[in-house]
Amino acid sequence: MRVESSGGVPELEDSRWAPRDAGAQGRRRQRQRRPRRGAGAPQPMAAPATAVQRLFEACREVFTGAGPGAVPPPAGVERIKSVLDSITAADVRLTSNMSYFRRVDPHGTPKITYLHLYKCEAFSIGIFCLPSRGVIPLHNHPGMTVFSKLLFGAMHIKSYDWAAAQQDTPDQLQGPHLAKVKVDGILTAPHETLVLYPEDGGNMHCFTAQNACAVLDVLGPPYDDGSGRHCQYYNVASSAISVAGSTIVPGGDRYEWLEESEPPRDFYLVGSTYMGPRILDH
């Protein structure tokens, strides 16, 4: 934001425009002695950046210029994560008693609401609002680095990475693909930001709300069908008891077979207007 000074304009000294009478000369001297408007007055201070503005600026610096699949450097990941860790529901003006988090039908699957904050070619920022028992089905994030901050509530998270032998080619394979279970448990706010990468950290995940939940998400880069970043959904086909001839013992790594699927018919994701502090893209 540029603050322009409100100071007066100095008068020109030119004998051609000298007053012809003493009264005019006196009035001229009084005007010259009169202090200029705003002289010595403190300039207004710029308001501190909001939490979402700080997040936007961090994402812009970290993601701009990075190509699909290009993982930000550790310092960039830590910068975005640090900003997200400090953000609360109050910073985006959300509370658990808002209409987004109410179950209309106590027996059916509740709809999920998405609040759009910002999107460009390099990254997107948005909030998923889940009522109790709301589910975001198992899906992937191809070539993307994703930050997820649980603002409030508790949710069950199950996430996977492709097994090492299939990591580079799951999209070319037919039938179920072998995946390693990365996370399978309940996450309760407050909690540090989760980070997943194109090939690590739980690139495929599913969220199930235990109660009203809000998740602030950063995707870098965002989904784009034209660039090959299509959101693919999966079903768990069956559990595997061995990988490459090695038996998976209790307490060891878990593997499951994932099979591509269409989005569940009872999955309803609707958009709504974000009412929190605006992001200034300048």
Side-chain angles (χ1 to χ4, degrees):
M1 181 181 296
R2 185 178 66 181
V3 179
E4 297 184 354
S5 172
S6 59
V9 179
E11 297 188 24
L12 296 176
E13 293 291 343
D14 193 329
S15 59
R16 291 176 299 172
W17 302 103
R20 296 181 180 274
D21 59 84
Q25 290 177 353
R27 288 192 297 273
R28 179 180 175 84
R29 285 194 294 269
Q30 288 177 0
R31 287 198 299 270
Q32 289 174 339
R33 289 194 297 268
R34 185 181 303 151
R36 292 183 299 174
R37 287 185 300 164
Q43 295 297 316
M45 295 182 63
T50 64
V52 293
Q53 185 68 28
R54 294 197 306 273
L55 176 61
F56 162 74
E57 292 172 358
C59 292
R60 180 173 58 183
E61 293 188 14
V62 171
F63 283 117
T64 300
V71 177
V77 170
E78 185 57 36
R79 180 180 177 191
I80 295 175
K81 182 176 180 296
S82 177
V83 176
L84 280 167
D85 283 343
S86 69
I87 292 180
T88 67
D91 291 322
V92 291
R93 298 180 188 168
L94 281 181
T95 62
S96 60
N97 61 1
M98 288 179 166
S99 59
Y100 311 130
F101 307 101
R102 297 176 192 154
R103 292 180 56 86
V104 177
D105 182 355
H107 303 291
T109 301
K111 66 181 180 181
I112 312 300
T113 303
Y114 180 75
L115 307 178
H116 167 74
L117 275 70
Y118 183 84
K119 183 179 181 180
C120 64
E121 292 184 355
F123 64 93
S124 65
I125 304 174
I127 301 173
F128 290 94
C129 303
L130 291 79
S132 176
R133 292 173 54 196
V135 177
I136 298 179
L138 183 62
H139 62 283
N140 68 347
H141 307 84
M144 301 154 69
T145 300
V146 180
F147 298 77
S148 296
K149 169 63 185 294
L150 182 62
L151 297 173
F152 59 77
M155 63 168 46
H156 180 268
I157 297 178
K158 192 169 187 180
S159 65
Y160 302 81
D161 289 321
W162 293 120
Q166 302 181 53
Q167 198 170 52
D168 297 330
T169 59
D171 293 336
Q172 284 73 45
L173 298 177
Q174 298 296 320
H177 314 323
L178 190 63
K180 178 181 178 180
V181 178
K182 184 73 176 182
V183 176
D184 186 3
I186 294 177
L187 188 72
T188 303
H191 195 280
E192 69 175 347
T193 301
L194 301 180
V195 185
L196 63 85
Y197 301 94
E199 297 180 354
D200 185 34
N203 186 274
M204 298 159 287
H205 63 201
C206 172
F207 294 160
T208 304
Q210 306 298 293
N211 49 32
C213 299
V215 183
L216 175 56
D217 256 14
V218 172
L219 310 181
Y223 290 107
D224 181 12
D225 290 345
S227 300
R229 295 190 301 276
H230 170 66
C231 183
Q232 178 62 57
Y233 294 88
Y234 298 89
N235 286 327
V236 177
S238 63
S239 297
I241 61 171
S242 65
V243 177
S246 300
T247 301
I248 302 175
V249 299
D253 292 337
R254 290 172 52 200
Y255 291 81
E256 294 179 344
W257 294 96
L258 304 184
E259 192 168 24
E260 294 182 2
S261 68
E262 295 296 322
R265 292 184 177 181
D266 58 354
F267 174 49
Y268 299 101
L269 180 63
V270 298
S272 189
T273 304
Y274 166 68
M275 302 301 291
R278 298 299 175 186
I279 288 175
L280 303 177
D281 186 1
H282 52 70

